Amino acid sequence: MAVSRRKRSRVTFPIMAAAAFAALTTTMVPQPSFAEDSPNDWPKYYRTDDAWRYSPLDQINTGNVKKLKVAWIHQPGDIQMGLQATPIVIDGIVYYVGANNNVFAVDGETGKTLWHYKPELDPIVTKVFYVAATRGVTVGHGMVYLGSLDGRYIALDQKTGKVVWERQITDLKTCYGCLFSSPPQLAGDILYGGTTGGDQPQAGKIFAVNALTGEPAWTFNTIKDDPKSWPGDSGKVGGGGAWMPGVYDAKTDTILIGTSNAAPDFFPDGRVGDNLYSATILAIEGKTGNLKWHYQEVPHDTWDYDSAYEIMSIKHDGKDLLVHLNKGGYVFVLDKATGKPFNIWPLAKHINWTSGIDPKTGEIKDRYEPKVGEERVMCPYLLGVRSWNAASYSPKTGLWYTNAMEVCNTINSSPQEIDKVGLAGLYLGVSKLEAVPPPGDKASARLDARDPITGKVKWSVDYEMPGLGSVLSTAGGLVFNGDVRGVFHAYDAETGKELWNFNTGSGIRSGPVSYAAGGKQYILVPSGLGSHAPGFMASAFPKIKGLPGGAALIALTLE
Amino acid sequence: MIKKDFVLSYKAQVIIACGVSAIITLFAMMASVMAAAGTANGGGEAILGDPAAIKVGEATFYQNCVYCHGSKGSGGSARALQCRDMKPDYIFETITNGRINGANVMPPWKDTFDEKARWQLVAYIRSLRTLPECDSNN
């Protein structure tokens, strides 16, 4: 086993030669850009680096959306943990990843498989907590990049699906199964990404390599080497994984990426301090990995309030701002150049971990923390006011569309022995943990349309259970959102009126996208409920129990 | 009158007595070995009703299992564990080796928890079969 691992981690001579040739030709012949301005494509995880999840296509619109029909269905053939990916679409070809890192290139007009890459995964991937699921792939430099479940970066030839290079990045045996659940992202010639690990006794890192060759470039420690932040050895087990895709500002060579909570999540006694850079937005120079600025949303987090979700860029009154949802229920609007707060507003109605956050200074007032030996109801719960799948912003309406839920958890804080955590274990620091309705209210869910700067509500649609997929908005005046039963809804972006829906057969836990091929616009929805979240929220939403899993990529177009 | 055919000879009686004695000894030895093994693996089934074991198992459950199985095993993405009279060996085997059921994947926990911890989990899960809510559900 050890020998094969070493073999795998090496970049062989032919691969190095091929990569060197690729680098040479890349230098000599300008490659097509990611065409952020190409309306037909969905070239990146959030489509563009402003993370709007907005398609400028308008062939499908409020007037004809009722005529949407299934064009084709592609099944990855493995439904473990559902289908959680956001597909990438470039020049009419769909690239996506199903369970256990099966990567596909699919003809966007017909659904025909063009190639399929099935990696030989280390058997350890079946023994860890975050099994089977991956959120997508990244395409660029003529390659399709995968962060694997066994801790590798793998670059595939975009045309053939053959391996161009691969590199072992993490060792799951020594980091409690830390792995790439999200696709590494491109910052020019740099490929970077982080791993799971906010709930494990490990120290998070962001790993960057040369995207053309796989050679290591830099590593950023998301656990700051500072005894004021992490006394004693607490930082070595402090969590802090950056487990969602970052975004890149090419103009300033800046990577923007958020980090997870500090560990152990609910028992903070051993980590007195601010616990930098957990629950933090990081601005990192792409070429060097140097930190430009940081903004810690939740200093000394004791509630599992990650800052890992999408970081949206928006212009407002001539200012470049970032809009970012923290799991703790607040939306942080920050100055993009400095990270200083511009405004902070609550998305959640039920928040009791603080009496409020100063919208100009970010000061967290009157912290209410978990306590050893006492059950306390904390709001929002550990899954946040929303799960990790992203919101959408439409420049046509100026509205930000996001799923939201109102759920709390009962917590009894408790010390936890690290040597008993084990490979698949979690380092939560609890003896009791249960999702419960908010005090005096029922557990609820909704899709909101809001002003992203102020939080003012334009419209809101109630949901029976929390939406767990990403929202999609389009220039056709539409907002698409899937529910956990598998019904995919289209709304009027201005009013929230439901115009159409379609039952995909299994819950939406992924990122629906839109693209055009052969002169037709398509809505592409990955269907397939999975992941751990439905299990934990079942005590607050009993109807979520037993909903069917699945995995099918469904393309919809006008008849 | 006793028919001759049913009268056992002295020799046969000695052989039977020795056989029974040997079987009893064998069972005693097996029980001794099992008891020793039970001690080595944290008590095995012997700890199932032990309140201390159930309490430790409960904490382990909330730290690791509640995500899928729900609070008090009420079910979620995985099937409910409460109000079910499952055999201890079945629970132990499932925890040890994991399970794949459609979209749901439970990793094997044998590399995470030692035998004692797994039996403590079994003890807690067994305690869920007689919760008050089981009566109301029925």
Side-chain angles (χ1 to χ4, degrees), chain A residues 247-312:
Chain A
V247 292
Y248 178 60
D249 184 343
K251 276 185 275 185
T252 58
D253 187 30
T254 305
I255 292 166
L256 295 162
I257 189 166
T259 63
S260 80
N261 58 288
D265 303 31
F266 304 106
F267 181 75
D269 293 18
R271 51 177 174 85
V272 176
D274 54 15
N275 305 145
L276 285 170
Y277 300 103
S278 67
T280 296
I281 301 294
L282 300 168
I284 298 171
E285 186 177 49
K287 282 190 182 64
T288 63
N290 292 333
L291 186 63
K292 291 187 170 187
W293 58 258
H294 72 274
Y295 180 77
Q296 190 174 38
E297 294 175 333
V298 187
H300 189 61
D301 169 44
T302 62
W303 306 272
D304 194 7
Y305 291 157
D306 306 55
S307 295
Y309 295 175
E310 79 277 7
I311 302 170
M312 189 178 91

Side-chain angles (χ1 to χ4, degrees), chain B residues 44-85:
Chain B
E45 295 198 26
I47 68 166
L48 290 181
D50 177 7
I54 292 172
K55 191 170 170 50
V56 175
E58 181 182 25
T60 305
F61 183 89
Y62 276 106
Q63 284 161 355
N64 297 278
C65 314
V66 71
Y67 252 89
C68 298
H69 290 286
S71 183
K72 288 190 272 186
S74 60
S77 51
R79 195 178 164 191
L81 300 174
Q82 59 182 220
C83 313
R84 291 172 64 193
D85 191 13

Side-chain angles (χ1 to χ4, degrees), chain A residues 79-82 126-132 199 304 382-383 414-416 420-435 529-539 544-546 549-550, chain B residues 55-56 58-80 82 97-114 116-117 120 124 133 137:
Chain A
I79 69 168
Q80 287 180 35
M81 304 303 273
T126 64
K127 300 176 181 176
V128 298
F129 187 76
Y130 295 104
V131 293
D199 304 325
D304 194 7
L382 61 76
L383 297 178
S414 173
Q416 191 172 354
K420 291 186 179 174
V421 173
L423 184 61
L426 297 176
Y427 191 42
L428 301 179
V430 290
S431 58
K432 171 80 181 209
L433 177 61
E434 180 178 13
L529 193 60
S531 87
H532 300 292
F536 185 68
M537 62 175 60
S539 51
I544 207 166
K545 290 182 200 173
Chain B
K55 191 170 170 50
V56 175
E58 181 182 25
T60 305
F61 183 89
Y62 276 106
Q63 284 161 355
N64 297 278
C65 314
V66 71
Y67 252 89
C68 298
H69 290 286
S71 183
K72 288 190 272 186
S74 60
S77 51
R79 195 178 164 191
Q82 59 182 220
N97 296 316
R99 172 162 298 188
I100 297 173
N101 182 12
N104 297 326
V105 187
M106 174 174 167
W109 292 87
K110 64 186 169 200
D111 294 337
T112 297
F113 302 130
D114 60 22
K116 182 179 179 182
Q120 287 164 337
Y124 173 66
E133 44 263 58
N137 290 341

Side-chain angles (χ1 to χ4, degrees), chain A residues 444-458:
Chain A
S444 63
R446 61 186 189 271
L447 172 67
D448 278 359
R450 290 176 179 253
D451 182 307
I453 307 298
T454 66
K456 185 181 176 189
V457 180
K458 177 76 181 293

Side-chain angles (χ1 to χ4, degrees), chain A residues 6-277:
Chain A
R6 278 199 296 274
K7 271 185 179 174
R8 179 181 284 166
S9 64
R10 281 181 187 161
V11 178
T12 60
F13 176 75
I15 290 173
M16 286 177 69
F21 180 72
L24 198 60
T25 53
T26 303
T27 308
M28 289 162 54
V29 183
Q31 296 295 298
S33 72
F34 300 118
E36 287 208 4
D37 55 350
S38 170
N40 293 342
D41 294 342
W42 193 281
K44 297 185 181 184
Y45 188 77
Y46 300 112
R47 187 172 181 276
T48 52
D49 276 315
D50 52 23
W52 286 359
R53 286 194 53 78
Y54 169 80
S55 169
L57 297 172
D58 61 1
Q59 190 181 74
I60 300 166
N61 54 51
T62 53
N64 60 20
V65 67
K66 283 185 178 173
K67 294 180 180 174
L68 275 181
K69 298 288 181 191
V70 173
W72 53 261
I73 298 175
H74 189 275
Q75 295 182 328
D78 185 342
I79 69 168
Q80 287 180 35
M81 304 303 273
L83 184 52
Q84 301 187 28
T86 294
I88 300 297
V89 190
I90 296 173
D91 294 335
I93 297 174
V94 177
Y95 304 89
Y96 85 104
V97 58
N100 292 306
N101 289 158
N102 282 274
V103 183
F104 297 88
V106 177
D107 186 311
E109 289 186 66
T110 64
K112 180 186 170 190
T113 301
L114 301 175
W115 55 256
H116 171 202
Y117 168 71
K118 183 178 177 60
E120 282 185 32
L121 294 171
D122 188 310
I124 198 171
V125 302
T126 64
K127 300 176 181 176
V128 298
F129 187 76
Y130 295 104
V131 293
T134 305
R135 298 188 178 88
V137 292
T138 292
V139 182
H141 301 297
M143 291 181 245
V144 176
Y145 298 102
L146 172 71
S148 76
L149 293 167
D150 56 5
R152 285 177 284 164
Y153 285 163
I154 301 172
L156 307 174
D157 184 292
Q158 189 179 349
K159 287 196 172 69
T160 65
K162 304 292 183 197
V163 174
V164 178
W165 61 257
E166 59 182 314
R167 177 164 291 277
Q168 193 72 42
I169 305 290
T170 70
D171 178 4
L172 274 65
K173 291 187 192 73
T174 59
C175 64
Y176 294 85
C178 72
L179 55 85
F180 295 104
S181 59
S182 287
Q185 298 296 299
L186 285 167
D189 291 348
I190 291 290
L191 184 75
Y192 69 95
T195 67
T196 58
D199 304 325
Q200 276 81 20
Q202 56 99 45
K205 293 177 176 58
I206 296 167
F207 302 94
V209 302
N210 183 314
L212 305 175
T213 65
E215 289 299 314
W218 49 260
T219 300
F220 183 91
N221 293 312
T222 63
I223 301 297
K224 188 180 182 185
D225 184 14
D226 182 352
K228 287 179 191 162
S229 277
W230 300 94
D233 288 337
S234 61
K236 292 179 181 172
V237 293
W243 51 276
M244 283 294 290
V247 292
Y248 178 60
D249 184 343
K251 276 185 275 185
T252 58
D253 187 30
T254 305
I255 292 166
L256 295 162
I257 189 166
T259 63
S260 80
N261 58 288
D265 303 31
F266 304 106
F267 181 75
D269 293 18
R271 51 177 174 85
V272 176
D274 54 15
N275 305 145
L276 285 170
Y277 300 103

